Amino acid sequence: MALLDVENLGLSFAGLQVIKELSFSVDEGSIASLIGPNGAGKTSVFNCLTGFYKPNSGEILFNGRPITRKRPYKITRRGMARTFQNLRLFKSMSVLENVMSGMHCRTRSGPLGAILRTGSQRREEAEIKEFCEFCLDFVGILGEKDRTASNLPYGHQRRVEWARALATKPKLLLLDEPAAGLNFDEKQQLIELIKRIREELKITILLIEHDMGLVMKVSEMITVIDYGQKIAQGSAEEVQNNPRVIEAYLGREEDEVV
Amino acid sequence: MARIDSAAPKTGDVAGTGGPLRWLDSQKNRLIVLTVLAFLAMFLPLISSNYVLEVMTTAWFYVMLCLGLNIVVGYAGLLDLGYAAFFAVGAYTTGILTSHFGVNFWLTIPAAVLFSICAGVIIGGPTLRLRSDYLAIVTLGFGEIVRIIARNLEITGGASGLIGIEKPSIFGFELNQIFHFYYVFLILACLACFVSYRLQHSRLGRAWQYVREDEDAAEAMGIDRVAVKLYAYVIGAIFGGVAGCFFAAKMTAISPETFMFQQSVLILLGVVLGGMGKIPGVIVGAFALVLFPEVFRDLGSSRILVFAIVMLVIMLYRPKGIWPEKKS
Amino acid sequence: MSIQDILLQQLANGLILGSFYALVALGYTMVYGIIKLLNFAHGDLYMIGAFIGFLFLSVLSPLIGDSWVGILCSMVLSMIAVGLLGVLIQRIAYQPMLSAPRLSILITALAVSMILSNAVMAFTDGEYLAFSTDLGYEGLEFGNVFVTYTQMVLVGAAALLMTGLYLFVHRTMYGKAMRAIAIDQDACRLMGIHVNRIIALTFFIGTSLAASAGIMAGAYYGSIHFFMGFVIGLKAFTAAVIGGIGSIPGAMLGGLLLGLLESFGTQIPFIGTEWKDVFSFGILILLLVFKPTGILGRTEIERM
């Protein structure tokens, strides 16, 4: 069954059509990828899915229910979490506090509970801490939990973002260029991590990526877009051999002659 | 990201600590200062004149107001330029209910809380969805509206205000001496500290900080930024409203001129002086606010000018206040 | 007077009030457009404009009289002086804060506003100063409605300034640079635009327009006061929001509209002049609820 269903999505800014009648779906429990050359509109698709952009047309169904044009926090509550291409951590807060932000939408204690420190409030705080530490441990940086986020090395900051996204207890995790800026070893670890998230946490994954090697290794279903339009879809092999994909990435032969 | 929002807070450390007040950055020195001050506050009525008590009572009163505004400005990072309006809502609620309707003082407090919440929701609800600048100017307008309404209605006593508000009593014991009120406001200030502290270190307090640092990331984490800001705005309003109730009871008379724009600016200054978002800093700021004009009496009407220059210098050279928040 | 005459009279009043609002709103909108700063001190610069104009007029009037020529000269001088003051404020107070958190720069702007108004208060002991001029009370009669030449000249001068600004922004390289910076400062820097110089120019123009409104208001109402910039600052912001903040024609339109709304609004039964300010702030709040982008403002593209 499809966990995410995008139908005829369209988005334009001031007359510029960024996404054109894009349709694709992500099956529950799969690892899917959205790829395309620079400026193809991949991040715009993510922003539409997560509610940061309001698409002009089309429909997005998540878990069978429409989420088109809903506010981002509501979509996250429905179970869709994301990471950002250029990190968006709460820089002056500790790593643990950063991850705790993810649990916000899964907990409920309000001002009265906070002032009176009621039993349920304290239980909830303990629960938040425990789950966030689990998430940090899962991505392998539990030891860094008390450091200020901005003081971490880049690769670790990325992991804080993943832990933070995992702490929202998502059904679907959207990763925006997770391998950008990582070295070879870190990329290998990333591949492991993506697989573990799916196997151990049962979370479906959709990623945007430039690194073709990584995409081909992990994804079961790849959607290729160019100029906001879908040009191919299929397994790694199918996509690799698709002439339109090759054309989009390498340019037409005529172009090179010219 | 297609476009980095120009409004995204840039949290790189601005100047931070330093300068002639560097010795305050040491944890031990701060603790010593605090202990001495706490003792002084407790036993002050035994050793001081009525004049000193009067000034100190006002200081505790401002501590409460500044802590209330600190929730809005320091915790949630929203600029409220009409905070005196909530203070006015509380004061007039008590004034009107006790003098026109003979309601017991203590019963006016829940009414004031209710009105403050309503006012907070009416102003905050629509504006908190927009850029933070809009809130600043709308609250400024709101402060004026409340003052003009108080000036022009009959029930609020018009321009001359309300007089003869009854002093409250507890179990038949009437609060009428200045040292009674000293302790009342000391207790209120401590309560305000306690509530502020608990809120700051809670799920909601963290949410305020997330929203303050990066609204979009907070929203992506499933935090309803409008609701979170509205909480801050309304809780701040309640602080102001309750402080207003006790202000009316202490003064027994209130007039619209108490709630001018300058009042809102003074309270904001208290928050900024000591370092936004940090409870001891706000207390220091509130005291500086009250004690400064008492010490430099000759300044007279130009004290706001001096304050404003101090505020500008602080923003330019020590943006985190005299007593900034510490982070490892 | 018949209803029709009252309405006509209010139309004249509204246009004058609206011209002042529009001139002040322009500076708000220009500064906001270019560096996304709500310059709280803007209303105070209007006030300073009136005071400096008054100063120049007192010096000049023995030489050239305090009629049209005297006022025009002192207005030009005051516009230049206050414009430079605006640039100075931008350099000292705002420039270092541009990369600080938003809240800090807003508080800085507030501090500047307090410094300006309280400094003038200290100089004048908080008194009203009589802004005496010799403009006369002649005018033209339209039916039962009497409009003085002064009123006509004020509206004419405001219209002239606004037209000049519009042409400047849309027909010159400087104007083009301003509009470009409002869209993307970094890109402008890369294209070799002197960003800081253009920002300074924007402050100069914006504040000198406010100063021109200040001196005109002083001459028209006959008295000036250190607090005169506070309410008009708020109103001008309201006007800028009505028109769509960041939009120059929007500020003009919003200013005129607010002036008209106020002068007609106060004619509605139960809304006397004492409720005038409540009426306009009420409009502001309603507007922010239903159409925060204003009449001519563009919908901000969703964030990120």
Side-chain angles (χ1 to χ4, degrees), chain A:
Chain A
M1 187 201 125
L3 180 61
L4 178 73
D5 226 327
V6 178
E7 286 161 19
N8 295 320
L9 192 69
L11 174 74
S12 60
F13 288 139
L16 177 71
Q17 193 86 27
V18 183
I19 304 172
K20 260 176 278 180
E21 299 192 0
L22 179 67
S23 302
F24 68 97
S25 60
V26 176
D27 286 336
E28 185 149 17
S30 66
I31 298 178
S33 294
L34 190 64
I35 63 171
N38 267 331
K42 304 183 294 286
T43 298
S44 295
V45 173
F46 261 29
N47 282 336
C48 286
L49 294 181
T50 49
F52 283 97
Y53 289 164
K54 310 268 177 273
N56 308 87
S57 59
E59 182 127 50
I60 303 165
L61 293 172
F62 179 57
N63 223 359
R65 290 160 69 196
I67 54 164
T68 328
R69 283 180 283 272
K70 288 221 182 306
R71 297 226 348 242
Y73 81 93
K74 285 193 172 156
I75 293 173
T76 307
R77 281 179 193 187
R78 290 271 180 89
M80 192 193 291
R82 73 173 291 177
T83 63
F84 292 90
Q85 190 173 17
N86 28 9
L87 299 170
R88 295 288 285 268
L89 291 176
F90 306 110
K91 293 192 185 71
S92 73
M93 300 176 84
S94 77
V95 168
L96 184 63
E97 282 173 321
N98 263 283
V99 180
M100 283 164 108
S101 68
M103 275 292 272
H104 187 93
C105 61
R106 301 287 170 238
T107 47
R108 51 191 312 134
S109 72
L112 275 182
I115 295 166
L116 303 174
R117 290 246 162 116
T118 54
S120 69
Q121 192 262 357
R122 275 178 300 170
R123 264 196 305 281
E124 199 178 85
E125 285 291 300
E127 202 181 294
I128 293 173
K129 207 164 161 233
E130 193 191 348
F131 187 70
C132 292
E133 284 177 353
F134 164 78
C135 294
L136 278 170
D137 195 29
F138 193 89
V139 300
I141 50 164
L142 183 58
E144 313 262 29
K145 69 174 174 157
D146 293 320
R147 290 182 65 184
T148 304
S150 59
N151 293 344
L152 292 186
Y154 184 77
H156 284 187
Q157 291 196 22
R158 284 233 104 112
R159 289 173 186 232
V160 178
E161 274 222 338
W162 300 331
R164 190 173 69 170
L166 289 178
T168 65
K169 301 190 175 169
K171 293 189 187 73
L172 175 65
L173 181 60
L174 306 183
L175 300 172
D176 196 346
E177 301 215 4
L182 299 187
N183 62 30
F184 182 77
D185 283 345
E186 287 171 326
K187 276 181 189 164
Q188 298 311 305
Q189 290 165 9
L190 174 67
I191 293 170
E192 278 313 298
L193 188 64
I194 290 174
K195 287 182 173 159
R196 275 179 59 219
I197 289 173
R198 197 248 310 251
E199 306 307 330
E200 294 173 29
L201 302 179
K202 310 279 178 253
I203 294 172
T204 311
I205 290 170
L206 173 62
L207 60 114
I208 293 178
E209 191 44 70
H210 266 305
D211 188 317
M212 294 301 279
L214 188 135
V215 169
M216 298 301 167
K217 259 182 216 159
V218 297
S219 2
E220 284 133 15
M221 174 62 91
I222 299 173
T223 306
V224 190
I225 61 173
D226 193 19
Y227 296 108
Q229 266 176 315
K230 182 163 81 178
I231 56 172
Q233 190 167 32
S235 67
E237 237 168 89
E238 288 163 6
V239 166
Q240 262 170 324
N241 298 324
N242 185 314
R244 286 187 69 190
V245 176
I246 298 167
E247 183 187 307
Y249 269 87
L250 300 176
R252 280 169 208 265
E253 270 172 51
E254 295 94 312
D255 285 350
E256 290 189 17
V257 176
V258 174

Side-chain angles (χ1 to χ4, degrees), chain C residues 31-53:
Chain C
V31 168
Y32 188 89
I34 201 158
I35 55 171
K36 302 285 174 287
L37 162 73
L38 248 187
N39 187 8
F40 285 116
H42 196 65
D44 300 280
L45 287 162
Y46 158 93
M47 177 270 299
I48 299 270
F51 273 85
I52 292 188

Side-chain angles (χ1 to χ4, degrees), chain A residues 110-118 121-122 125, chain B residues 75 191-206 208 279:
Chain A
L112 275 182
I115 295 166
L116 303 174
R117 290 246 162 116
T118 54
Q121 192 262 357
R122 275 178 300 170
E125 285 291 300
Chain B
Y75 292 170
L191 212 63
C193 286
F194 174 78
V195 171
S196 293
Y197 180 84
R198 283 270 168 106
L199 285 173
Q200 189 185 3
H201 297 92
S202 73
R203 170 174 174 269
L204 187 58
R206 285 192 303 270
W208 286 332
I279 296 167

Side-chain angles (χ1 to χ4, degrees), chain C residues 51-61 73-75 77-78 81:
Chain C
F51 273 85
I52 292 188
F54 174 79
L55 218 64
F56 279 123
L57 190 63
S58 333
V59 176
L60 291 176
S61 61
C73 289
S74 28
M75 181 164 120
L77 289 172
S78 166

Side-chain angles (χ1 to χ4, degrees), chain C residues 12-43:
Chain C
N13 291 346
L15 278 178
I16 293 175
L17 196 61
S19 311
F20 295 152
Y21 289 162
L23 283 175
V24 184
L26 278 171
Y28 252 126
T29 255
M30 287 171 74
V31 168
Y32 188 89
I34 201 158
I35 55 171
K36 302 285 174 287
L37 162 73
L38 248 187
N39 187 8
F40 285 116
H42 196 65

Side-chain angles (χ1 to χ4, degrees), chain C residues 196-250:
Chain C
N196 287 342
R197 199 177 290 166
I198 299 292
I199 290 177
L201 183 69
T202 310
F203 264 85
F204 182 86
I205 296 175
T207 39
S208 59
L209 286 175
S212 75
I215 187 168
M216 286 199 262
Y220 180 61
Y221 296 115
S223 77
I224 52 177
H225 185 235
F226 77 94
F227 214 53
M228 67 190 271
F230 176 71
V231 170
I232 199 160
L234 268 172
K235 297 283 181 63
F237 174 81
T238 308
V241 172
I242 291 176
I245 197 148
S247 150
I248 287 177

